[in-house]
Amino acid sequence: MCGITGWVAHGDDLARHRSVVQAMTDTMICRGPDAEGVWIEGPVALGHRRLSIIDPAGGAQPMVATRDGRTLAALTFCGEVYNFRELRAELAALGHTFRTDSDTEVVLNAYLQWGADFAARLNGMFAIGLWDATTRELLLVRDPIGVKPLYYARTSDGVVFGSEPKAVLAHRGVPRRVDAQGLAEILDMVRTPEVTPFTDLSEVRPGQVVRVTEGGLTRTRYWQLTAREHTDDLDTTIATVRELLEDIVSRQLIADVPVATLLSGGLDSSAITALAQRALTAEGRGPVRSYSVDFQGAADGFEPDAVRGTADAPYVRDCAAHVGSDHSEVLLDSTELADPAVRAAILGATDLPPAYWGDLWPSLYLLCREIRKRATVVLSGESADELFGGYRWYQRPEAVDAPTFPWLTPGSARIFGGSSLIDQGLLEKLDLEGYRRDRYAEALAEVPVLAGESAVDRRMREVTYLNITRFMQAVLDRKDRMSMAVGLEVRVPFCDHRLMDYVFNVPWAMKSFDGREKSLLRAAVRDVLPASVLERTKTPFPSTQDTRYEQALRAELREVLADPDAPVRPLLNTARVNRVLGRELDDFSLPHDRGGIEMALWLNRWLVSYDVSVTV
């Protein structure tokens, strides 16, 4: 895993601007702590920061293909291609030679062989910047599901790109400006594809190729979810899901560095851990190393709440004992969650206010930081809920039938409420309800249609599509930023596009055949998990119940309110803020208020640290 960046300026010689390219590359040292590289030739410059996973000795980047001393193509690549061995053999049979054992060289040769069609042959998670010296064009390519991020900004004579906004913003020609649409994207959980809060910054869409030439910029999709009839019966469907998962997990265990799994005691992470253990055992390796997270004292003081009915620890231990993993429990001190140094590291990794999910950002960052001491790669269970129907809003008719994003309906929206402390006049200008309505209509219009599909299957296809293309992207961003902030690579087996394509087309009655969430997944892994995990109801990532965290948030907000120069103050409803701060801590239990405080604090830190210009 790595960080990539680049700059194309048609008609210029970027050797004159090496310091700018170096600055862009330096922004991503956390994503790639092991090595760096910068390559410049005429109007193109590519930068790379490397986290060595495959062929540490031979996979240096940017990687250049030449013939008779002439550049054919140059590549800066972030990610992993899990079928690189098969592709390498195919390319070798076609006459290609290889000087390294890296997947990067396979990707470069795949382009030389198949042109832009190479992207559709890759199985993995990746972001690619590729310069074709013959046609003098730049290709920006993102993996089918969008596990790895890739951003770009147009300039007067070309484009600037990078794995994270900070790499693009390091270029002097890209302003740090946010308009009404950008602020709406920050304040509401809509996650519009290709759109970012920064006015002049775009994101490559999952499964998309952005082609930049002297004539301009074009976008094409090489992969997207499609609708087709599912003809397999239930038993065959269960068996196919299992076969796919076994193949996916086996492929994603390939690395030249230590690999582990994240284990929460839920169905998804337990399935990945169990299948990883079986794959390693079959190869004469193992046991698999697994990691879980909890808070100090939580085992004795856990109290069920609206979304977490049980503590993770007992299920984690059941699963670890059942599969035989080498397990480690990471215990966090809740006071660390509000540590200014931790908050600064999180903001530096996200480049945007990470308000949603509250303390789940710092807890994930601290977990990844601890794991990184002993492992470089971990497999995680993200995206199973979106694909198999695990969230509560899949089961609630009022959420399914609502004419909006299901996670923003009563009962769920309270988790994502970030605008409760924002000035009412500003909210009226932004028209968040109208913005949400428009974005929902756009998303709905994208959903592929299967002729003759029942009304129920049609609607559940829509709900699944919304979750995969909008909600899941926010989840994947959070995992990517918090892991890469400490140089830890997270692989996400449930994001394999073959599995996504297959399960997306399974009828809803089959996905929920036993009346529970994720019925299909549970059936596919039933034989490898303990009964306690199989029967457990979906529970989110653990959150602290320690009031010291809330106290720290309120103390910081009081400081912000007392600072006349705090940039967020003009954006806040100060009367509402004072009412919230005046409540007794025991009454501090309104999710909208907690989300509002998190949003206010992160907005302030962001405006200060990133020197953002906000115009609405």
Side-chain angles (χ1 to χ4, degrees):
M1 195 55 56
C2 310
I4 68 172
T5 191
W7 176 14
V8 171
H10 296 290
D12 200 352
D13 181 2
L14 294 187
R16 302 186 302 115
H17 308 293
R18 187 180 183 92
S19 62
V20 177
V21 182
Q22 188 65 58
M24 292 163 57
T25 305
D26 289 346
T27 63
M28 294 178 300
I29 189 171
C30 290
R31 293 188 77 92
D34 296 333
E36 72 163 7
V38 170
W39 177 84
I40 301 176
E41 188 174 277
V44 61
L46 303 179
H48 190 267
R49 289 291 322 190
R50 188 181 186 203
L51 177 64
S52 300
I53 303 294
I54 301 291
D55 189 12
Q61 294 189 54
M63 187 173 286
V64 182
T66 62
R67 179 182 298 152
D68 300 326
R70 178 174 60 88
T71 299
L72 297 178
L75 174 75
T76 184
F77 166 73
C78 162
E80 305 292 345
V81 173
Y82 304 122
N83 65 333
F84 79 98
R85 290 175 173 171
E86 296 97 315
L87 288 174
R88 180 188 175 105
E90 184 177 357
L91 289 164
L94 291 169
H96 293 261
T97 58
F98 296 87
R99 55 184 175 80
T100 76
D101 293 322
S102 69
D103 56 348
T104 303
E105 190 177 15
V106 171
V107 173
L108 185 55
N109 279 274
Y111 174 76
L112 296 176
Q113 178 65 39
W114 297 301
D117 292 338
F118 83 109
R121 295 174 176 264
L122 307 181
N123 175 274
M125 55 178 189
F126 48 83
I128 298 169
L130 192 150
W131 172 252
D132 188 319
T134 302
T135 60
R136 296 181 67 80
E137 63 184 3
L138 174 75
L139 271 63
L140 301 177
V141 187
R142 195 171 177 205
D143 68 71
I145 308 303
V147 181
K148 292 293 104 182
L150 185 56
Y151 298 87
Y152 66 96
R154 300 192 197 196
T155 62
S156 60
D157 56 358
V159 72
V160 182
F161 70 90
S163 289
E164 295 178 358
K166 65 174 66 64
V168 181
L169 296 172
H171 187 282
R172 61 182 178 272
V174 182
R176 302 182 176 215
R177 183 169 57 237
V178 174
D179 59 14
Q181 175 179 269
L183 202 51
E185 283 285 326
I186 290 172
L187 294 174
D188 207 11
M189 184 70 167
V190 293
R191 195 61 175 83
T192 308
E194 302 186 53
V195 173
T196 80
F198 291 103
T199 307
D200 301 282
L201 185 71
S202 299
E203 186 173 19
V204 179
R205 186 169 185 150
Q208 186 179 67
V209 176
V210 175
R211 189 188 302 264
V212 183
T213 67
E214 288 189 73
L217 183 149
T218 58
R219 307 176 186 88
T220 57
R221 300 287 295 278
Y222 70 88
W223 189 90
Q224 56 189 315
L225 291 167
T226 58
R228 66 172 182 276
E229 185 180 3
H230 183 79
T231 57
D232 292 344
D233 62 19
L234 178 59
D235 288 342
T236 302
T237 301
I238 292 170
T240 301
V241 169
R242 174 59 172 269
E243 290 168 6
L244 282 167
L245 282 173
E246 288 180 340
D247 178 69
I248 294 164
V249 171
S250 179
R251 289 176 183 275
Q252 296 195 17
L253 288 170
I254 297 173
D256 295 326
V257 293
V259 180
T261 68
L262 294 175
L263 179 59
S264 70
L267 177 64
D268 314 335
S269 65
S270 297
I272 298 302
T273 300
L275 294 176
Q277 178 63 60
R278 286 169 66 93
L280 292 174
T281 299
E283 297 173 7
R285 302 159 57 198
V288 65
R289 301 175 70 177
S290 58
Y291 292 89
S292 63
V293 64
D294 209 341
F295 297 94
Q296 294 177 4
D300 299 324
F302 176 83
E303 295 183 9
D305 58 27
V307 294
R308 295 173 181 84
T310 56
D312 285 348
Y315 300 93
V316 168
R317 292 164 190 158
D318 281 356
C319 183
H322 186 84
V323 306
S325 68
D326 177 8
H327 186 71
S328 298
E329 184 179 45
V330 177
L331 291 177
L332 303 179
D333 184 339
S334 293
T335 59
E336 290 183 278
L337 302 177
D339 186 314
V342 171
R343 310 291 270 196
I346 292 169
L347 183 59
T350 59
D351 301 324
L352 292 166
Y356 300 114
W357 296 301
D359 64 288
L360 272 61
W361 288 89
S363 62
L364 180 57
Y365 169 80
L366 292 168
L367 170 62
C368 291
R369 190 176 71 177
E370 187 63 27
I371 293 174
R372 184 62 177 89
K373 296 176 182 177
R374 288 158 285 179
T376 309
V377 175
V378 292
L379 274 61
S380 186
E382 269 79 17
S383 304
D385 287 309
E386 291 84 354
L387 183 58
F388 289 96
Y391 294 122
R392 293 188 179 187
W393 51 77
Y394 276 92
Q395 280 74 45
R396 295 174 54 243
E398 59 270 32
V400 170
D401 297 335
T404 190
F405 298 104
W407 54 90
L408 294 179
T409 54
S412 299
R414 57 198 173 89
I415 303 171
F416 308 110
S419 61
S420 64
L421 301 185
I422 299 299
D423 177 73
Q424 187 60 38
L426 175 59
L427 291 177
E428 290 173 1
K429 276 188 178 182
L430 296 177
D431 185 19
L432 291 184
E433 289 187 9
Y435 187 77
R436 182 187 298 181
R437 183 171 57 250
D438 291 344
R439 300 293 80 78
Y440 175 72
E442 290 174 359
L444 215 59
E446 295 174 3
V447 181
V449 175
L450 179 63
E453 195 168 38
S454 71
V456 170
D457 282 330
R458 168 65 177 161
R459 181 53 183 164
M460 294 314 296
R461 182 185 295 279
E462 291 174 343
V463 170
T464 303
Y465 185 89
L466 294 172
N467 275 271
I468 290 174
T469 62
R470 269 64 176 178
F471 188 83
M472 191 176 80
Q473 294 305 309
V475 175
L476 292 175
D477 278 353
R478 172 174 157 264
K479 183 57 67 74
D480 173 82
R481 301 305 194 279
M482 294 301 92
S483 59
M484 294 310 296
V486 297
L488 178 70
E489 174 176 300
V490 174
R491 299 177 177 179
V492 195
F494 289 111
C495 281
D496 186 291
H497 70 277
R498 298 169 299 160
L499 181 68
M500 283 277 175
D501 182 67
Y502 184 78
V503 178
F504 179 68
N505 284 291
V506 174
W508 181 248
M510 196 175 287
K511 283 186 182 178
S512 56
F513 70 89
D514 64 359
R516 293 197 55 188
E517 78 283 358
K518 294 184 284 195
S519 307
L520 191 56
L521 176 59
R522 184 177 293 103
V525 296
R526 180 171 296 279
D527 62 310
V528 297
L529 295 179
S532 59
V533 172
L534 287 167
E535 298 305 317
R536 189 185 186 194
T537 301
K538 161 70 183 174
T539 299
F541 193 85
S543 178
T544 183
Q545 297 183 330
D546 190 333
T547 58
R548 291 179 297 171
Y549 177 67
E550 296 174 0
Q551 289 172 333
L553 293 181
R554 298 175 80 176
E556 184 179 348
L557 186 57
R558 288 191 182 95
E559 292 177 4
V560 169
L561 210 60
D563 180 3
D565 297 323
V568 78
R569 282 195 63 184
L571 307 181
L572 297 180
N573 181 334
T574 53
R576 177 68 187 273
V577 172
N578 281 316
R579 285 199 301 272
V580 170
L581 291 177
R583 291 193 181 117
E584 294 294 330
L585 189 60
D586 289 345
D587 296 331
F588 190 63
S589 58
L590 301 178
H592 275 298
D593 286 345
R594 285 202 298 274
I597 290 179
E598 292 275 14
M599 179 64 78
L601 295 177
W602 281 119
L603 270 173
N604 195 64
R605 285 178 176 270
W606 179 59
L607 292 168
V608 170
S609 300
Y610 281 74
D611 190 26
V612 179
S613 170
V614 179
T615 55
V616 295

